[in-house]
Every structure is written in C-alpha cells, then in structure tokens.
Amino acid sequence: MSIRNAIARQAEAELPNECCGYLAGTRSGGEVAVAKIFPMTNMDRSSEHFSFSPKEQFAATKSARADGLELVASYHSHPETPARMSEEDIRLAYDTSILYLIHSVTESSLKAFAIDISRTVSEAHLVITD
Amino acid sequence: MTFTINGKTDSVDARQLSVVELLTLKDVEMPDMVSVQLNGDILDKSAFDSTFVADGDEVEFLYFMGGGTR
C-alpha cells in the first residue's frame, strides 16, 4: 500500500478522531523524499485535536535512523475540514525542520506545508518514493 | 565529555552539563517544547536543569507534536 493510501486508510479507520503520525525519508538538495510511515497514537483521542506520545516518537526516530532515514514530516487528518494548517496547527508546529502534512477526509486531499520560525506557512512539494 | 545526541557523536569541553545547558548549546529552538530521552529514559521536564549528561551518554530530543482543527 502506498504511503498516501496508508494515511487515507488510517484517517478513515480512526474516524471520528484525527489520526496522526510521522513520515521518514531523506533530504537532498532542498528536496524531501518520503520512504516510510510511522502511524502514531492520537493521545488526545479527539476529532479536533491530536498529540503524539513521546515514547512512540522516540521509537519512531530510532527505527527510522536504523533504516538510514530521518523524520522528515508529521501528518495528521482533518475529519471534516480542508487540508490546510489551522491556527492551532500553526501555533503548535514547533519543529521547523520538518514538513507538516494534512489529510482532509472530506476532500480526500493530502497537502504538505513548511513553517518557519516566524510562523509563516508555505505549501511544500513532497516526493513519496514508496 | 563525549556523548551522542540524536544519533550523532558530539563532545563538549565541560566537566558538567545539564540537559537545559545541552539544549541551549545545541541551539534548540523552543527548548520548553521538547521531550528528552537520556539513555532510554524519558525525562520529566522539571528535571531538565537538575539532570546532567555524562561521558558516553545517549541523548535524544524531539519536539512536542500536536495540533487541531481550529
């Protein structure tokens, strides 16, 4: 199953709650290539909020590293809203080194965003190599 | 002392280095919003300034990940 389909499937399976996870891959010449998905537990168990478990986060980063990959993006779903970063998504996007993917269940769309230290969001291009 | 941080070997010329000092040294943006694992144990944030890195330690740090629809 492709990573895009895996995210969509996870989002459907965890309705009505938001699903979430990490993507691991490689960076080269300003481009990010995704190779592996790490679904995470949404600790908030909410249709409007998500948060990762630190224990699962550390397990994912070490597993990715063992495969020669690094965490390059996080993803989460919006069960009923568009694939765009909400005010809360922007406010809580502390790690500016990764991309933020949002899957809209209602729109069946997946978009990637970059955010910088000034909280400026821009849509990003992502290559998924699976 | 020499240690690994996020899988990479690093060293500092210091006899004592707290986790808070390490995060500052590594220019971690928003250090209040990271989780730290020291030798496999996730540290309580309240212990960052009283926990010290030792030679040979393995340190991992990751940012809090969360968000919402609104």
Side-chain angles (χ1 to χ4, degrees):
Chain A
M1 182 188 303
S2 74
I3 286 176
R4 287 180 185 274
N5 286 345
I7 292 173
R9 287 269 185 104
Q10 184 189 353
E12 291 281 348
E14 295 194 23
L15 286 174
N17 295 335
E18 296 191 355
C19 78
C20 56
Y22 271 133
L23 299 178
T26 55
R27 305 173 200 268
S28 177
E31 284 205 345
V32 175
V34 173
K36 194 168 181 180
I37 183 172
F38 290 96
M40 297 274 131
T41 302
N42 176 359
M43 300 302 287
D44 292 348
R45 291 181 172 77
S46 166
S47 61
E48 296 182 336
H49 305 279
F50 80 95
S51 65
F52 288 14
S53 152
K55 184 177 176 182
E56 290 184 358
Q57 287 181 268
F58 286 118
T61 194
K62 289 178 179 178
S63 176
R65 193 181 300 143
D67 289 340
L69 305 172
E70 61 178 304
L71 299 178
V72 295
S74 74
Y75 69 87
H76 72 277
S77 63
H78 283 179
E80 297 182 349
T81 53
R84 50 78 178 126
M85 290 194 80
S86 67
E87 284 185 15
E88 185 173 351
D89 289 339
I90 294 169
R91 183 170 56 83
L92 298 180
Y94 299 112
D95 188 351
T96 57
S97 73
I98 64 169
L99 296 179
Y100 291 83
L101 272 65
I102 299 176
H103 172 79
S104 168
V105 176
T106 49
E107 296 180 344
S108 295
S109 67
L110 180 69
K111 291 186 180 176
F113 301 92
I115 187 165
D116 65 21
I117 193 69
S118 69
R119 307 281 96 192
T120 299
V121 177
S122 57
E123 197 164 339
H125 175 66
L126 193 66
V127 175
I128 298 181
T129 57
D130 65 329
Chain B
M1 70 179 84
T2 300
F3 48 86
T4 61
I5 182 164
N6 288 359
K8 295 179 181 172
T9 302
D10 201 348
S11 60
V12 295
D13 186 18
R15 291 178 61 187
Q16 187 166 268
L17 190 71
S18 70
V19 168
V20 165
E21 289 169 336
L22 176 60
L23 295 176
T24 302
L25 201 66
K26 303 308 289 182
D27 293 323
V28 171
E29 298 168 359
M30 312 284 282
D32 290 341
M33 302 313 301
V34 298
S35 294
V36 175
Q37 190 182 61
L38 179 62
N39 298 325
D41 294 324
I42 296 175
L43 300 179
D44 198 281
K45 278 190 174 51
S46 64
F48 281 10
D49 58 355
S50 59
T51 302
F52 295 89
V53 180
D55 194 52
D57 277 352
E58 293 183 1
V59 184
E60 301 275 347
F61 73 88
L62 284 167
Y63 283 95
F64 167 82
M65 280 291 152
T69 307
R70 305 198 183 281

